[in-house]
Amino acid sequence: MDDVNYFYQHWKGYTTQRSFAWVDEYKTTDAPTRMVRRAMEKENKKLRDAAKKAFTTEVRELVDFVCRRDPRVRAFQKQKEQEKEQRRIEEEAKKREKQAAYDTERRAFQEQQEKLWADSNMETSRVADRDIEQELEKLRKKMDADVLVCDLCSKTFKSTKQLQNHLTSKKHREKEEELGVFSDLSILDDEMDRALQEELIALGKEADEEAARKKEEAERVRLEKEQKAADKRRERKEQRKNKKKENVEKIVSSARSKKEKKEEEEEQRGRGKKGGKKRRG
């Protein structure tokens, strides 16, 4: 196939070596002057170039006509088209594989990030619950540290649990039956819940006050910075104003000194002229 391609490439770039002198319209030997001969040669050259171009175009068109109908060229072009189509199919398959791998990797990454986010939220929730439990335990211990008293039995207890156990004991119930007074355990629970709630509210207020204090401090710092910046701008403006004033004063002083010097020179010249007149007189 290389020989076929070389053959057609050679003839598609064909250029004739003929002179096409037979298409000349003028005979230059009959020219009366050199200027006329040059004009004849110019016209003959145009005719020769046109004829040469037409002949070359005709030959190349014939070569194209034969090349398009050559079975070897057709088979080669068909093979090239098949190879091109095969490459296109392979490239599309590679693109699909790359896209599928990318989608799989992206889904895996998203699932991993979602899992990490869920674990982080769960851990945060556990930490928050643990902190709340710790605060409640601290409050319970604080309340348990207070002295609890059973007025009927004249006994003191260190914790609410001890007091609850005592209130449900047999001796305490016998004392209640004897005196006709009965203890309401729900009141104790309500008091404990109320105390816990008040303590939590107090903690929340303290946190809000701390946040407000920090906000006020930040606002105060910001205002101080703005005030300092404004003072610096005012100071720089004043300095520029003073410098400008000094420059103006220097210019005025220089102009005044030049004027005075000029007046002195004129006065000296005037005196010199008067002295010369007196001497001549």
Side-chain angles (χ1 to χ4, degrees):
M1 193 61 198
D2 293 338
D3 295 338
V4 176
N5 288 331
Y6 177 77
F7 172 79
Y8 283 112
Q9 290 297 329
H10 172 74
W11 283 101
K12 285 181 180 179
Y14 169 77
T15 302
T16 182
Q17 299 297 325
R18 297 181 181 182
S19 63
F20 288 90
W22 57 87
V23 298
D24 289 350
E25 183 178 357
Y26 302 101
K27 189 175 181 180
T28 57
T29 56
D30 296 339
T33 61
R34 184 173 58 183
M35 186 178 296
V36 174
R37 186 178 71 252
R38 288 181 178 177
M40 289 180 177
E41 290 176 351
K42 187 175 181 180
E43 292 296 327
N44 290 338
K45 186 176 183 303
K46 288 181 180 179
L47 295 173
R48 291 184 184 185
D49 291 342
K52 187 176 181 179
K53 183 177 180 180
F55 179 76
T56 303
T57 303
E58 185 177 357
V59 172
R60 291 180 180 179
E61 288 178 354
L62 176 62
V63 173
D64 290 336
F65 178 81
V66 175
C67 181
R68 286 195 300 270
R69 286 158 179 78
D70 193 332
R72 297 170 298 176
V73 175
R74 286 185 174 182
F76 180 71
Q77 290 179 349
K78 186 176 181 180
Q79 182 181 358
K80 285 180 66 176
E81 291 177 357
Q82 291 177 353
E83 292 176 354
K84 184 178 180 180
E85 182 67 18
Q86 184 65 26
R87 286 196 300 270
R88 186 184 65 80
I89 293 172
E90 291 177 356
E91 289 177 358
E92 289 182 355
K94 289 181 180 179
K95 287 182 180 179
R96 286 195 296 270
E97 290 177 359
K98 288 183 179 180
Q99 186 65 31
Y102 172 76
D103 293 339
T104 303
E105 185 177 356
R106 184 180 63 180
R107 284 194 297 270
F109 178 76
Q110 289 178 350
E111 291 175 357
Q112 183 181 5
Q113 292 298 319
E114 290 175 357
K115 185 178 179 181
L116 291 174
W117 180 256
D119 294 341
S120 177
N121 289 339
M122 189 178 297
E123 183 65 23
T124 303
S125 178
R126 284 199 296 268
V127 171
D129 293 340
R130 186 170 62 250
D131 293 340
I132 292 172
E133 289 294 333
Q134 290 177 356
E135 291 295 330
L136 291 175
E137 185 65 25
K138 289 179 181 178
L139 291 175
R140 292 192 187 96
K141 289 181 179 179
K142 184 177 180 181
M143 291 183 65
D144 292 342
D146 297 335
V147 178
L148 301 175
V149 180
C150 177
D151 296 331
L152 296 178
C153 302
S154 300
K155 290 184 178 181
T156 58
F157 304 93
K158 294 182 179 180
S159 65
T160 55
K161 189 173 182 180
Q162 291 179 359
L163 179 58
Q164 287 179 345
N165 292 332
H166 170 72
L167 294 176
T168 57
S169 64
K170 185 177 180 181
K171 290 183 179 181
H172 182 77
R173 288 181 179 179
E174 291 177 354
K175 193 73 172 178
E176 287 179 342
E177 291 176 357
E178 180 181 351
L179 298 175
V181 179
F182 298 95
S183 301
D184 190 359
L185 297 178
S186 62
I187 295 175
L188 182 61
D189 294 335
D190 293 340
E191 290 179 355
M192 291 176 61
D193 294 338
R194 192 180 303 108
L196 289 173
Q197 187 175 5
E198 290 176 355
E199 189 70 21
L200 289 174
I201 292 172
L203 290 174
K205 288 182 178 179
E206 290 179 0
D208 293 339
E209 290 175 357
E210 182 68 18
R213 187 183 62 78
K214 289 182 179 180
K215 186 176 180 181
E216 291 177 357
E217 183 67 19
E219 184 67 18
R220 184 182 62 79
V221 172
R222 185 183 66 81
L223 292 175
E224 288 180 356
K225 289 183 178 179
E226 290 181 355
Q227 185 64 31
K228 288 181 180 179
D231 294 339
K232 287 183 179 179
R233 288 195 298 270
R234 193 180 301 108
E235 184 178 355
R236 287 196 296 269
K237 186 176 180 181
E238 190 68 24
Q239 289 177 356
R240 289 195 298 269
K241 185 177 179 180
N242 294 333
K243 189 173 182 180
K244 186 176 180 181
K245 186 176 180 181
E246 290 176 359
N247 292 333
V248 171
E249 290 177 354
K250 287 181 180 179
I251 293 171
V252 172
S253 177
S254 177
R256 188 181 293 112
S257 61
K258 288 181 180 179
K259 185 177 180 181
E260 292 176 355
K261 187 176 181 181
K262 187 176 180 180
E263 290 176 353
E264 290 178 358
E265 290 177 354
E266 289 178 354
E267 186 177 356
Q268 289 178 0
R269 283 198 297 270
R271 290 176 181 175
K273 288 180 180 180
K274 289 180 180 180
K277 288 180 180 180
K278 288 180 179 180
R279 285 195 296 271
R280 284 196 298 272

